[in-house]
Amino acid sequence: MKTRPHLPRLSRFPHITRLTRLALPLRAALAALAFASAAVPAAWAQEKTSVAQLAFLTGTWRGPSSSGTTAEEIISAPEGGVMLSAGREFRGAKCVFFDLVVFAEKDGVVNLIPHPNGKRSADIFPLVKLEAAAHRATFENKAHDFPKVFIYELIAPDHLRITLTGDQKGHPAKEVFELKRTK
């Protein structure tokens, strides 16, 4: 038969029980203070959003980028809290880049989850600003290098502009895609 090791009863050490009673409320107060003083992410301060609000992006788009490539984006309709975008960039007849972007709702926030060249990025870009009347959505992750910001803007019913900004090799960088609807 196994015996339990002898553990001293806390009542034999009244100073420990008093300290424990004082430490618990103090610990809770410190945790609340730390939470209140922490910077609130921009996505928390914003109203709840849904993927359905990005329906203006749906379609097949093609056009030039400021880096000299021709880009193609195929963006699905929103359904079930998810939209998908499959993109390719061409230089001449050669595909030089491809990606999958997932727009997914989580806890009332829409996140952009990139998969450049087929590999899921460790970084997620929350929707930080949605200008529904202007058909403009801004996703941002300041910890990422390039891009830090994705801006999707429907300029006209047949014209989608995607602007990427951030840092490359320690310098500000920007790439703009001027896409026309093909379908």
Side-chain angles (χ1 to χ4, degrees):
M1 178 174 183
K2 287 187 174 181
T3 59
R4 289 181 11 179
H6 176 67
L7 298 174
R9 294 179 58 143
L10 288 179
S11 61
R12 291 185 188 169
F13 305 98
H15 59 284
I16 291 176
T17 56
R18 274 180 271 167
L19 285 174
T20 303
R21 278 188 233 129
L22 287 172
L24 289 175
L26 181 61
R27 186 176 181 189
L30 287 173
L33 181 61
F35 180 77
S37 66
V40 177
W44 289 10
Q46 164 183 4
E47 294 179 23
K48 289 188 175 193
T49 56
S50 74
V51 168
Q53 292 171 293
L54 300 177
F56 65 90
L57 300 175
T58 302
T60 302
W61 306 89
R62 190 174 180 96
S65 77
S66 58
S67 67
T69 62
T70 298
E72 176 185 60
E73 292 285 330
I74 303 167
I75 305 175
S76 74
E79 189 171 340
V82 174
M83 284 176 76
L84 299 176
S85 172
R88 303 184 288 179
E89 288 182 50
F90 301 94
R91 193 169 307 281
K94 183 178 181 185
C95 181
V96 293
F97 179 79
F98 67 93
D99 69 343
L100 170 71
V101 173
V102 178
F103 300 94
E105 295 174 25
K106 184 173 182 182
D107 301 326
V109 176
V110 175
N111 293 304
L112 181 153
I113 307 162
H115 296 74
N117 288 319
K119 297 178 180 128
R120 185 177 195 267
S121 172
D123 295 310
I124 293 175
F125 297 77
L127 177 64
V128 295
K129 189 173 186 181
L130 178 63
E131 300 166 75
H135 298 294
R136 181 181 167 118
T138 304
F139 298 86
E140 183 175 6
N141 181 334
K142 291 182 181 180
H144 198 265
D145 52 5
F146 187 85
K148 288 182 186 299
V149 178
F150 289 80
I151 299 172
Y152 289 82
E153 184 175 17
L154 192 63
I155 304 299
D158 66 340
H159 182 182
L160 177 66
R161 177 180 295 145
I162 303 172
T163 305
L164 312 179
T165 58
D167 299 316
Q168 284 185 325
K169 299 178 184 173
H171 300 287
K174 180 177 184 178
E175 185 165 14
V176 180
F177 300 87
E178 299 288 352
L179 309 176
K180 297 292 182 183
R181 186 182 299 276
T182 62
K183 289 184 187 176

